[in-house]
Amino acid sequence: MEGELYVRLGYTMDALYRSITRHLAYSLGVVPTQASKRDIYLALSYSVRDRLLEKMLKTNQRYEDSGAKRLYYLSMEFLIGRSLANNLRAMKIYDQVAEALQLLGTDVETICDQERDAALGNGGLGRLAACFLDSMASLDMPGFGYGLHYDYGLFEQDISNGYQREKPDSWISEAPALQVERADAACIVPMYGRIEETKDKWGRHNPLWLGWNLVTGVPYDIPIAGYGGLTVNRLRLFAARPSTEFDIKIFNEGDYLRAVEQKIESEKISKILYPKDSYEAGRELRLIQEYFLVACSLNDIVRTYEKDYSDFNKFPEKVAIQLNDTHPALAVAELMRILVDQKWVPWERAWDITNRTIAYTNHTLLPEALEKWPESLLARLLPRHLQFIYDINQQFLDRVVTLWPGDVDRMRNMSIMEEGPPRQVRMANLAIVGAHSVNGVSALHTDLIKKSLAPNFFEMWPERFNNKTNGITPRRWLCVANPNLHDLIEDAIGPGFVTDLERLRELEPFAEDPAFCEKFMQVKHGNKERLKDVIFNTTVVEVDPASLFDVQVKRIHEYKRQLMNVLGIIWEYLALTEDGVEPVSPKTFIFAGKAAPGYWAAKQLIKLIHNVGNTIEDDPRARDFLKVAFAPNFRVTLAEQIIPAADISQQISTAGFEASGTGNMKFALNGALTIGTMDGANIEISQKVGRENIYICGLTAYEIEKMKRAGSYKPKAMYDKHPMIKRVVDSLASDRFCPRESGLFAWLKDYLLADNEMFFHLADLESYVKTRELSTQEYVDKTLWAKKAILNVARVGHFSSDRTIRQYAEEIWDLVAIPPTEAEKSGKLK
Ligand code: GL2
């Protein structure tokens, strides 16, 4: 029936060809023979959008008819990357489109390559949100994303003489082809102003929030196609606009410039994504952004609910709100304000509704990332919200006092307000108090939340805390990124595993099948060949696909320890050139990642990686064995090219610092072997793939914690005792890697030898280098390697974001799937 269904859906090659040429003519005004690649890309995107929107309307109708509960995922970041190829795969029209494009004299890869990444996120947290949207749609769940429509996404990274240079990413200048502006659903957001204490007609305390400024939130919808293409959900991104194009009053007063200024001031809110990963700058505009997201989203959520219900009794049964980190924690105060001030729900009742609706995910334990905002700023920006925060805190602390009378330390610790000066609002405490569920993102991370981050809260509400180990969508990270591996697996175990990833287990017997191993290694080699070209085109470094590709790609951060990787490379370089120890296989070390623009140490590391690479390349004794490449401008699209080509995946954060990691999962799914510490989800990955199929090194989180508490980490003693550690560290202090910029890396010696070196580089170095050696030795044994790599693929099905989302749905949201009707499936519905 598939053929007939495709005709009905307009998914045949003919229909798609017609649709593309029609859009070329009527949306873009060009004839096919004169169309540029960009024209064809747009025409194809519009053709896809037509079909997606049709399905989105039907999906929405289905949800409405069912009266089902809806989940809203509030996130400051959605790191979508490109959409076109993903949508073609989801709708299963990739091959038809490929044929249609051939008729237009081009090919599908070239056209998909025209798309710009939607880089509306920094890293793991934003990409997780994107994977979750994909999973909710693929599981037919009514789950929707809410975020901000930034004009500028994460900056583009250029490398100049080894230094990072940032360039603006004007995402908006090439208007994303998929989005639909929904001016009809715009909302008004108040901010600033003052409180007037009044009494209502019964003489009750009735504070009024007056004199605010207004900003308009204009939604843009991006359709999110589930696999199979029948369920299409939506990501709604809000752009800030002035409440009227120009303030007529100011304008009429003849103050044209002030009117323009006010317009610019409003639009500033959604101008740019803050480029810090796991870190908060504490800037006023950032808080305004967070509030703007919360206010627009809740307005939309409440409005949707009120279409069907006249009171709020059923709100928690029909609405679930997930806070992606503390960034949208003001939702707690905003929902209270809407219920109490606008809907006249009594305070206690409103609190019960709020608490049963909202859930919070913590994504990091890094102290600098725990958001706190000055009370004075909140008092100015959101005076009414601050009153709600005071009231919430008072009620909460009253309970703490009842449970632990006289325990002042505990109260101080748990309070939403932190004593000053300056007094601050602790957003994590607000989120924990306001939510019925608090979850971590890996087993270790959740354990650390309970034991170190929030032990008092855990003691008070143990049932509130739970774990949801992260996952990744196999649609993007296998089907789109590595189609040849996907096809090879499908040939072996049959279709269906893309939506049921545990089925990859059926691959296990193939790890012993020489013919399959051979094909598997061929796919890897093909991916390495392709990456070789990408690297050459962006760096002019020429890498050899026959060498071992050892990859570390992620944000540059001290805790992720790119520096330890570099120390390992220097170790191997010195051993080779000074001690005559040749590595058993030639190796290519591939790095990529952005450093936050203000993060000096991270930017120095980028320079160090380049310089070490250059020194090795200039050294005839070394260049045939070791190579270092830094691929610039890491983003989703580059990850899709690098990950399928990796032999080794480096996941070497200091244990206890990486909440979960998700790159680790993407690499394992693509048949790379992990060198990793016992941190985040690495621990669970090692349990699933088996300790013999992963290279674990370094101290555990508890060992590190113990050493920290005892003050027993003495890196200088390690340096004195271990000659090779000494040689490696001293080489940094010399000008060996910076002959033209004398003294550039000298600081690293002091850094590494300080007792308070937070990330334990030298403590783990020897264990790390030994583990690397072992992995290189095993790499040379191709049969052994293929077997281990295949077993990694076969055993990481657990880390599908479908599994994660099912757990959220069952254990936190109480959300059920609303699958397509028979009529939708047959394509007969009009
Ligand atoms: C992060 C964590 O650092 C990372 O370990 C985790 O995998 C992701 C998703 O849960 O969240 N927290 C954070 O603030 N960023 C992350 O990537 N930016």
Side-chain angles (χ1 to χ4, degrees), residues 519-531 544-547 549 644-645 647 779:
K519 286 189 209 148
F520 182 89
M521 295 305 269
Q522 272 167 11
V523 168
K524 179 65 77 182
H525 192 81
N527 295 336
K528 290 169 81 171
E529 289 278 357
R530 263 189 297 280
L531 180 59
D544 176 6
S547 65
F549 278 15
D647 296 308
Y779 176 74

mmCIF file with all atom_site columns, all heavy atoms in Angstrom, residues 519-531 544-547 549 644-645 647 779:
data_model
loop_
_atom_site.group_PDB
_atom_site.id
_atom_site.type_symbol
_atom_site.label_atom_id
_atom_site.label_alt_id
_atom_site.label_comp_id
_atom_site.label_asym_id
_atom_site.label_entity_id
_atom_site.label_seq_id
_atom_site.pdbx_PDB_ins_code
_atom_site.Cartn_x
_atom_site.Cartn_y
_atom_site.Cartn_z
_atom_site.occupancy
_atom_site.B_iso_or_equiv
_atom_site.pdbx_formal_charge
_atom_site.auth_seq_id
_atom_site.auth_comp_id
_atom_site.auth_asym_id
_atom_site.auth_atom_id
_atom_site.pdbx_PDB_model_num
ATOM 1   N N   . LYS A 1 519 ? 32.833 -5.246 6.555  1.00 0.00 ? 519 LYS A N   1
ATOM 2   C CA  . LYS A 1 519 ? 31.965 -4.187 6.020  1.00 0.00 ? 519 LYS A CA  1
ATOM 3   C C   . LYS A 1 519 ? 31.879 -3.014 6.999  1.00 0.00 ? 519 LYS A C   1
ATOM 4   O O   . LYS A 1 519 ? 31.846 -1.847 6.603  1.00 0.00 ? 519 LYS A O   1
ATOM 5   C CB  . LYS A 1 519 ? 30.563 -4.738 5.755  1.00 0.00 ? 519 LYS A CB  1
ATOM 6   C CG  . LYS A 1 519 ? 30.488 -5.629 4.547  1.00 0.00 ? 519 LYS A CG  1
ATOM 7   C CD  . LYS A 1 519 ? 29.025 -5.938 4.244  1.00 0.00 ? 519 LYS A CD  1
ATOM 8   C CE  . LYS A 1 519 ? 28.909 -7.295 3.581  1.00 0.00 ? 519 LYS A CE  1
ATOM 9   N NZ  . LYS A 1 519 ? 27.663 -7.991 3.900  1.00 0.00 ? 519 LYS A NZ  1
ATOM 10  N N   . PHE A 1 520 ? 31.809 -3.365 8.260  1.00 0.00 ? 520 PHE A N   1
ATOM 11  C CA  . PHE A 1 520 ? 31.722 -2.341 9.304  1.00 0.00 ? 520 PHE A CA  1
ATOM 12  C C   . PHE A 1 520 ? 32.954 -1.423 9.246  1.00 0.00 ? 520 PHE A C   1
ATOM 13  O O   . PHE A 1 520 ? 32.854 -0.194 9.298  1.00 0.00 ? 520 PHE A O   1
ATOM 14  C CB  . PHE A 1 520 ? 31.633 -3.041 10.663 1.00 0.00 ? 520 PHE A CB  1
ATOM 15  C CG  . PHE A 1 520 ? 31.496 -2.119 11.833 1.00 0.00 ? 520 PHE A CG  1
ATOM 16  C CD1 . PHE A 1 520 ? 30.245 -1.707 12.271 1.00 0.00 ? 520 PHE A CD1 1
ATOM 17  C CD2 . PHE A 1 520 ? 32.621 -1.658 12.516 1.00 0.00 ? 520 PHE A CD2 1
ATOM 18  C CE1 . PHE A 1 520 ? 30.117 -0.853 13.356 1.00 0.00 ? 520 PHE A CE1 1
ATOM 19  C CE2 . PHE A 1 520 ? 32.503 -0.804 13.604 1.00 0.00 ? 520 PHE A CE2 1
ATOM 20  C CZ  . PHE A 1 520 ? 31.252 -0.403 14.021 1.00 0.00 ? 520 PHE A CZ  1
ATOM 21  N N   . MET A 1 521 ? 34.127 -2.036 9.106  1.00 0.00 ? 521 MET A N   1
ATOM 22  C CA  . MET A 1 521 ? 35.357 -1.252 9.050  1.00 0.00 ? 521 MET A CA  1
ATOM 23  C C   . MET A 1 521 ? 35.438 -0.439 7.751  1.00 0.00 ? 521 MET A C   1
ATOM 24  O O   . MET A 1 521 ? 36.020 0.643  7.723  1.00 0.00 ? 521 MET A O   1
ATOM 25  C CB  . MET A 1 521 ? 36.594 -2.158 9.197  1.00 0.00 ? 521 MET A CB  1
ATOM 26  C CG  . MET A 1 521 ? 36.697 -2.835 10.564 1.00 0.00 ? 521 MET A CG  1
ATOM 27  S SD  . MET A 1 521 ? 36.664 -1.675 11.955 1.00 0.00 ? 521 MET A SD  1
ATOM 28  C CE  . MET A 1 521 ? 38.418 -1.339 12.175 1.00 0.00 ? 521 MET A CE  1
ATOM 29  N N   . GLN A 1 522 ? 34.821 -0.980 6.695  1.00 0.00 ? 522 GLN A N   1
ATOM 30  C CA  . GLN A 1 522 ? 34.794 -0.221 5.432  1.00 0.00 ? 522 GLN A CA  1
ATOM 31  C C   . GLN A 1 522 ? 33.951 1.052  5.576  1.00 0.00 ? 522 GLN A C   1
ATOM 32  O O   . GLN A 1 522 ? 34.313 2.112  5.070  1.00 0.00 ? 522 GLN A O   1
ATOM 33  C CB  . GLN A 1 522 ? 34.213 -1.072 4.304  1.00 0.00 ? 522 GLN A CB  1
ATOM 34  C CG  . GLN A 1 522 ? 35.263 -1.911 3.592  1.00 0.00 ? 522 GLN A CG  1
ATOM 35  C CD  . GLN A 1 522 ? 34.638 -2.969 2.697  1.00 0.00 ? 522 GLN A CD  1
ATOM 36  O OE1 . GLN A 1 522 ? 33.430 -2.971 2.447  1.00 0.00 ? 522 GLN A OE1 1
ATOM 37  N NE2 . GLN A 1 522 ? 35.475 -3.892 2.236  1.00 0.00 ? 522 GLN A NE2 1
ATOM 38  N N   . VAL A 1 523 ? 32.826 0.898  6.271  1.00 0.00 ? 523 VAL A N   1
ATOM 39  C CA  . VAL A 1 523 ? 31.975 2.079  6.489  1.00 0.00 ? 523 VAL A CA  1
ATOM 40  C C   . VAL A 1 523 ? 32.765 3.122  7.278  1.00 0.00 ? 523 VAL A C   1
ATOM 41  O O   . VAL A 1 523 ? 32.790 4.312  6.938  1.00 0.00 ? 523 VAL A O   1
ATOM 42  C CB  . VAL A 1 523 ? 30.681 1.691  7.245  1.00 0.00 ? 523 VAL A CB  1
ATOM 43  C CG1 . VAL A 1 523 ? 29.940 2.934  7.720  1.00 0.00 ? 523 VAL A CG1 1
ATOM 44  C CG2 . VAL A 1 523 ? 29.776 0.850  6.349  1.00 0.00 ? 523 VAL A CG2 1
ATOM 45  N N   . LYS A 1 524 ? 33.431 2.672  8.317  1.00 0.00 ? 524 LYS A N   1
ATOM 46  C CA  . LYS A 1 524 ? 34.229 3.604  9.123  1.00 0.00 ? 524 LYS A CA  1
ATOM 47  C C   . LYS A 1 524 ? 35.282 4.274  8.245  1.00 0.00 ? 524 LYS A C   1
ATOM 48  O O   . LYS A 1 524 ? 35.475 5.489  8.309  1.00 0.00 ? 524 LYS A O   1
ATOM 49  C CB  . LYS A 1 524 ? 34.863 2.831  10.291 1.00 0.00 ? 524 LYS A CB  1
ATOM 50  C CG  . LYS A 1 524 ? 35.737 3.641  11.213 1.00 0.00 ? 524 LYS A CG  1
ATOM 51  C CD  . LYS A 1 524 ? 34.989 4.714  11.992 1.00 0.00 ? 524 LYS A CD  1
ATOM 52  C CE  . LYS A 1 524 ? 34.195 4.180  13.168 1.00 0.00 ? 524 LYS A CE  1
ATOM 53  N NZ  . LYS A 1 524 ? 33.443 5.254  13.858 1.00 0.00 ? 524 LYS A NZ  1
ATOM 54  N N   . HIS A 1 525 ? 35.935 3.486  7.413  1.00 0.00 ? 525 HIS A N   1
ATOM 55  C CA  . HIS A 1 525 ? 36.985 4.053  6.575  1.00 0.00 ? 525 HIS A CA  1
ATOM 56  C C   . HIS A 1 525 ? 36.422 5.109  5.620  1.00 0.00 ? 525 HIS A C   1
ATOM 57  O O   . HIS A 1 525 ? 37.020 6.175  5.430  1.00 0.00 ? 525 HIS A O   1
ATOM 58  C CB  . HIS A 1 525 ? 37.716 2.950  5.798  1.00 0.00 ? 525 HIS A CB  1
ATOM 59  C CG  . HIS A 1 525 ? 38.964 3.452  5.148  1.00 0.00 ? 525 HIS A CG  1
ATOM 60  N ND1 . HIS A 1 525 ? 40.141 3.593  5.836  1.00 0.00 ? 525 HIS A ND1 1
ATOM 61  C CD2 . HIS A 1 525 ? 39.195 3.907  3.883  1.00 0.00 ? 525 HIS A CD2 1
ATOM 62  C CE1 . HIS A 1 525 ? 41.062 4.097  5.025  1.00 0.00 ? 525 HIS A CE1 1
ATOM 63  N NE2 . HIS A 1 525 ? 40.514 4.287  3.835  1.00 0.00 ? 525 HIS A NE2 1
ATOM 64  N N   . GLY A 1 526 ? 35.270 4.817  5.062  1.00 0.00 ? 526 GLY A N   1
ATOM 65  C CA  . GLY A 1 526 ? 34.625 5.788  4.161  1.00 0.00 ? 526 GLY A CA  1
ATOM 66  C C   . GLY A 1 526 ? 34.343 7.099  4.896  1.00 0.00 ? 526 GLY A C   1
ATOM 67  O O   . GLY A 1 526 ? 34.573 8.194  4.371  1.00 0.00 ? 526 GLY A O   1
ATOM 68  N N   . ASN A 1 527 ? 33.862 6.974  6.133  1.00 0.00 ? 527 ASN A N   1
ATOM 69  C CA  . ASN A 1 527 ? 33.588 8.180  6.927  1.00 0.00 ? 527 ASN A CA  1
ATOM 70  C C   . ASN A 1 527 ? 34.879 8.953  7.213  1.00 0.00 ? 527 ASN A C   1
ATOM 71  O O   . ASN A 1 527 ? 34.890 10.183 7.235  1.00 0.00 ? 527 ASN A O   1
ATOM 72  C CB  . ASN A 1 527 ? 32.897 7.811  8.238  1.00 0.00 ? 527 ASN A CB  1
ATOM 73  C CG  . ASN A 1 527 ? 31.504 7.211  8.002  1.00 0.00 ? 527 ASN A CG  1
ATOM 74  O OD1 . ASN A 1 527 ? 30.885 7.472  6.972  1.00 0.00 ? 527 ASN A OD1 1
ATOM 75  N ND2 . ASN A 1 527 ? 31.022 6.410  8.943  1.00 0.00 ? 527 ASN A ND2 1
ATOM 76  N N   . LYS A 1 528 ? 35.963 8.215  7.425  1.00 0.00 ? 528 LYS A N   1
ATOM 77  C CA  . LYS A 1 528 ? 37.241 8.877  7.694  1.00 0.00 ? 528 LYS A CA  1
ATOM 78  C C   . LYS A 1 528 ? 37.743 9.603  6.438  1.00 0.00 ? 528 LYS A C   1
ATOM 79  O O   . LYS A 1 528 ? 38.286 10.703 6.517  1.00 0.00 ? 528 LYS A O   1
ATOM 80  C CB  . LYS A 1 528 ? 38.277 7.848  8.194  1.00 0.00 ? 528 LYS A CB  1
ATOM 81  C CG  . LYS A 1 528 ? 37.961 7.344  9.605  1.00 0.00 ? 528 LYS A CG  1
ATOM 82  C CD  . LYS A 1 528 ? 38.803 6.147  10.026 1.00 0.00 ? 528 LYS A CD  1
ATOM 83  C CE  . LYS A 1 528 ? 40.176 6.525  10.509 1.00 0.00 ? 528 LYS A CE  1
ATOM 84  N NZ  . LYS A 1 528 ? 40.885 5.346  11.105 1.00 0.00 ? 528 LYS A NZ  1
ATOM 85  N N   . GLU A 1 529 ? 37.533 8.990  5.296  1.00 0.00 ? 529 GLU A N   1
ATOM 86  C CA  . GLU A 1 529 ? 37.914 9.637  4.033  1.00 0.00 ? 529 GLU A CA  1
ATOM 87  C C   . GLU A 1 529 ? 37.176 10.964 3.884  1.00 0.00 ? 529 GLU A C   1
ATOM 88  O O   . GLU A 1 529 ? 37.756 11.978 3.500  1.00 0.00 ? 529 GLU A O   1
ATOM 89  C CB  . GLU A 1 529 ? 37.565 8.736  2.832  1.00 0.00 ? 529 GLU A CB  1
ATOM 90  C CG  . GLU A 1 529 ? 38.445 7.504  2.679  1.00 0.00 ? 529 GLU A CG  1
ATOM 91  C CD  . GLU A 1 529 ? 39.776 7.821  1.980  1.00 0.00 ? 529 GLU A CD  1
ATOM 92  O OE1 . GLU A 1 529 ? 39.968 8.983  1.583  1.00 0.00 ? 529 GLU A OE1 1
ATOM 93  O OE2 . GLU A 1 529 ? 40.623 6.905  1.876  1.00 0.00 ? 529 GLU A OE2 1
ATOM 94  N N   . ARG A 1 530 ? 35.891 10.923 4.155  1.00 0.00 ? 530 ARG A N   1
ATOM 95  C CA  . ARG A 1 530 ? 35.099 12.157 4.025  1.00 0.00 ? 530 ARG A CA  1
ATOM 96  C C   . ARG A 1 530 ? 35.577 13.229 5.004  1.00 0.00 ? 530 ARG A C   1
ATOM 97  O O   . ARG A 1 530 ? 35.691 14.402 4.665  1.00 0.00 ? 530 ARG A O   1
ATOM 98  C CB  . ARG A 1 530 ? 33.610 11.853 4.261  1.00 0.00 ? 530 ARG A CB  1
ATOM 99  C CG  . ARG A 1 530 ? 32.837 11.642 2.965  1.00 0.00 ? 530 ARG A CG  1
ATOM 100 C CD  . ARG A 1 530 ? 31.347 11.569 3.218  1.00 0.00 ? 530 ARG A CD  1
ATOM 101 N NE  . ARG A 1 530 ? 31.013 10.425 4.067  1.00 0.00 ? 530 ARG A NE  1
ATOM 102 C CZ  . ARG A 1 530 ? 30.906 9.188  3.621  1.00 0.00 ? 530 ARG A CZ  1
ATOM 103 N NH1 . ARG A 1 530 ? 31.080 8.919  2.336  1.00 0.00 ? 530 ARG A NH1 1
ATOM 104 N NH2 . ARG A 1 530 ? 30.605 8.201  4.446  1.00 0.00 ? 530 ARG A NH2 1
ATOM 105 N N   . LEU A 1 531 ? 35.884 12.800 6.227  1.00 0.00 ? 531 LEU A N   1
ATOM 106 C CA  . LEU A 1 531 ? 36.337 13.775 7.228  1.00 0.00 ? 531 LEU A CA  1
ATOM 107 C C   . LEU A 1 531 ? 37.692 14.362 6.837  1.00 0.00 ? 531 LEU A C   1
ATOM 108 O O   . LEU A 1 531 ? 37.959 15.542 7.064  1.00 0.00 ? 531 LEU A O   1
ATOM 109 C CB  . LEU A 1 531 ? 36.407 13.127 8.622  1.00 0.00 ? 531 LEU A CB  1
ATOM 110 C CG  . LEU A 1 531 ? 36.864 14.070 9.735  1.00 0.00 ? 531 LEU A CG  1
ATOM 111 C CD1 . LEU A 1 531 ? 35.932 15.276 9.862  1.00 0.00 ? 531 LEU A CD1 1
ATOM 112 C CD2 . LEU A 1 531 ? 36.951 13.342 11.077 1.00 0.00 ? 531 LEU A CD2 1
ATOM 113 N N   . ASP A 1 544 ? 45.669 11.281 7.530  1.00 0.00 ? 544 ASP A N   1
ATOM 114 C CA  . ASP A 1 544 ? 45.684 10.007 6.833  1.00 0.00 ? 544 ASP A CA  1
ATOM 115 C C   . ASP A 1 544 ? 44.583 9.096  7.401  1.00 0.00 ? 544 ASP A C   1
ATOM 116 O O   . ASP A 1 544 ? 44.651 8.696  8.556  1.00 0.00 ? 544 ASP A O   1
ATOM 117 C CB  . ASP A 1 544 ? 47.059 9.361  7.039  1.00 0.00 ? 544 ASP A CB  1
ATOM 118 C CG  . ASP A 1 544 ? 47.119 7.969  6.422  1.00 0.00 ? 544 ASP A CG  1
ATOM 119 O OD1 . ASP A 1 544 ? 46.138 7.578  5.742  1.00 0.00 ? 544 ASP A OD1 1
ATOM 120 O OD2 . ASP A 1 544 ? 48.136 7.291  6.632  1.00 0.00 ? 544 ASP A OD2 1
ATOM 121 N N   . PRO A 1 545 ? 43.597 8.764  6.590  1.00 0.00 ? 545 PRO A N   1
ATOM 122 C CA  . PRO A 1 545 ? 42.487 7.938  7.080  1.00 0.00 ? 545 PRO A CA  1
ATOM 123 C C   . PRO A 1 545 ? 42.932 6.556  7.570  1.00 0.00 ? 545 PRO A C   1
ATOM 124 O O   . PRO A 1 545 ? 42.171 5.881  8.258  1.00 0.00 ? 545 PRO A O   1
ATOM 125 C CB  . PRO A 1 545 ? 41.569 7.809  5.866  1.00 0.00 ? 545 PRO A CB  1
ATOM 126 C CG  . PRO A 1 545 ? 41.928 8.940  4.983  1.00 0.00 ? 545 PRO A CG  1
ATOM 127 C CD  . PRO A 1 545 ? 43.379 9.212  5.204  1.00 0.00 ? 545 PRO A CD  1
ATOM 128 N N   . ALA A 1 546 ? 44.154 6.157  7.222  1.00 0.00 ? 546 ALA A N   1
ATOM 129 C CA  . ALA A 1 546 ? 44.628 4.861  7.737  1.00 0.00 ? 546 ALA A CA  1
ATOM 130 C C   . ALA A 1 546 ? 45.134 4.984  9.172  1.00 0.00 ? 546 ALA A C   1
ATOM 131 O O   . ALA A 1 546 ? 45.335 3.983  9.853  1.00 0.00 ? 546 ALA A O   1
ATOM 132 C CB  . ALA A 1 546 ? 45.735 4.327  6.832  1.00 0.00 ? 546 ALA A CB  1
ATOM 133 N N   . SER A 1 547 ? 45.347 6.207  9.635  1.00 0.00 ? 547 SER A N   1
ATOM 134 C CA  . SER A 1 547 ? 45.811 6.375  11.020 1.00 0.00 ? 547 SER A CA  1
ATOM 135 C C   . SER A 1 547 ? 44.630 6.272  11.981 1.00 0.00 ? 547 SER A C   1
ATOM 136 O O   . SER A 1 547 ? 43.474 6.341  11.575 1.00 0.00 ? 547 SER A O   1
ATOM 137 C CB  . SER A 1 547 ? 46.498 7.734  11.170 1.00 0.00 ? 547 SER A CB  1
ATOM 138 O OG  . SER A 1 547 ? 45.556 8.777  10.972 1.00 0.00 ? 547 SER A OG  1
ATOM 139 N N   . PHE A 1 549 ? 42.054 7.651  14.353 1.00 0.00 ? 549 PHE A N   1
ATOM 140 C CA  . PHE A 1 549 ? 41.437 8.968  14.584 1.00 0.00 ? 549 PHE A CA  1
ATOM 141 C C   . PHE A 1 549 ? 41.001 9.049  16.043 1.00 0.00 ? 549 PHE A C   1
ATOM 142 O O   . PHE A 1 549 ? 40.038 8.406  16.457 1.00 0.00 ? 549 PHE A O   1
ATOM 143 C CB  . PHE A 1 549 ? 40.226 9.184  13.659 1.00 0.00 ? 549 PHE A CB  1
ATOM 144 C CG  . PHE A 1 549 ? 40.576 9.652  12.269 1.00 0.00 ? 549 PHE A CG  1
ATOM 145 C CD1 . PHE A 1 549 ? 41.877 9.566  11.775 1.00 0.00 ? 549 PHE A CD1 1
ATOM 146 C CD2 . PHE A 1 549 ? 39.592 10.200 11.442 1.00 0.00 ? 549 PHE A CD2 1
ATOM 147 C CE1 . PHE A 1 549 ? 42.198 9.993  10.486 1.00 0.00 ? 549 PHE A CE1 1
ATOM 148 C CE2 . PHE A 1 549 ? 39.902 10.630 10.150 1.00 0.00 ? 549 PHE A CE2 1
ATOM 149 C CZ  . PHE A 1 549 ? 41.205 10.530 9.671  1.00 0.00 ? 549 PHE A CZ  1
ATOM 150 N N   . PRO A 1 644 ? 30.966 10.130 13.118 1.00 0.00 ? 644 PRO A N   1
ATOM 151 C CA  . PRO A 1 644 ? 30.975 8.828  12.441 1.00 0.00 ? 644 PRO A CA  1
ATOM 152 C C   . PRO A 1 644 ? 32.374 8.371  12.003 1.00 0.00 ? 644 PRO A C   1
ATOM 153 O O   . PRO A 1 644 ? 32.577 7.211  11.674 1.00 0.00 ? 644 PRO A O   1
ATOM 154 C CB  . PRO A 1 644 ? 30.086 9.069  11.212 1.00 0.00 ? 644 PRO A CB  1
ATOM 155 C CG  . PRO A 1 644 ? 29.233 10.226 11.578 1.00 0.00 ? 644 PRO A CG  1
ATOM 156 C CD  . PRO A 1 644 ? 30.109 11.098 12.427 1.00 0.00 ? 644 PRO A CD  1
ATOM 157 N N   . ALA A 1 645 ? 33.343 9.316  12.012 1.00 0.00 ? 645 ALA A N   1
ATOM 158 C CA  . ALA A 1 645 ? 34.685 8.980  11.529 1.00 0.00 ? 645 ALA A CA  1
ATOM 159 C C   . ALA A 1 645 ? 35.658 8.673  12.666 1.00 0.00 ? 645 ALA A C   1
ATOM 160 O O   . ALA A 1 645 ? 36.832 8.415  12.407 1.00 0.00 ? 645 ALA A O   1
ATOM 161 C CB  . ALA A 1 645 ? 35.221 10.145 10.696 1.00 0.00 ? 645 ALA A CB  1
ATOM 162 N N   . ASP A 1 647 ? 37.659 6.804  15.663 1.00 0.00 ? 647 ASP A N   1
ATOM 163 C CA  . ASP A 1 647 ? 37.991 5.489  16.226 1.00 0.00 ? 647 ASP A CA  1
ATOM 164 C C   . ASP A 1 647 ? 37.925 5.555  17.751 1.00 0.00 ? 647 ASP A C   1
ATOM 165 O O   . ASP A 1 647 ? 37.404 4.663  18.393 1.00 0.00 ? 647 ASP A O   1
ATOM 166 C CB  . ASP A 1 647 ? 39.399 5.072  15.787 1.00 0.00 ? 647 ASP A CB  1
ATOM 167 C CG  . ASP A 1 647 ? 39.487 4.884  14.281 1.00 0.00 ? 647 ASP A CG  1
ATOM 168 O OD1 . ASP A 1 647 ? 38.649 4.152  13.730 1.00 0.00 ? 647 ASP A OD1 1
ATOM 169 O OD2 . ASP A 1 647 ? 40.373 5.488  13.653 1.00 0.00 ? 647 ASP A OD2 1
ATOM 170 N N   . TYR A 1 779 ? 44.070 -1.214 18.830 1.00 0.00 ? 779 TYR A N   1
ATOM 171 C CA  . TYR A 1 779 ? 43.602 -0.713 17.532 1.00 0.00 ? 779 TYR A CA  1
ATOM 172 C C   . TYR A 1 779 ? 44.285 -1.439 16.375 1.00 0.00 ? 779 TYR A C   1
ATOM 173 O O   . TYR A 1 779 ? 43.689 -1.668 15.316 1.00 0.00 ? 779 TYR A O   1
ATOM 174 C CB  . TYR A 1 779 ? 43.876 0.790  17.435 1.00 0.00 ? 779 TYR A CB  1
ATOM 175 C CG  . TYR A 1 779 ? 43.510 1.387  16.102 1.00 0.00 ? 779 TYR A CG  1
ATOM 176 C CD1 . TYR A 1 779 ? 42.171 1.589  15.763 1.00 0.00 ? 779 TYR A CD1 1
ATOM 177 C CD2 . TYR A 1 779 ? 44.489 1.741  15.174 1.00 0.00 ? 779 TYR A CD2 1
ATOM 178 C CE1 . TYR A 1 779 ? 41.821 2.131  14.541 1.00 0.00 ? 779 TYR A CE1 1
ATOM 179 C CE2 . TYR A 1 779 ? 44.147 2.291  13.949 1.00 0.00 ? 779 TYR A CE2 1
ATOM 180 C CZ  . TYR A 1 779 ? 42.820 2.473  13.633 1.00 0.00 ? 779 TYR A CZ  1
ATOM 181 O OH  . TYR A 1 779 ? 42.474 3.011  12.416 1.00 0.00 ? 779 TYR A OH  1
#
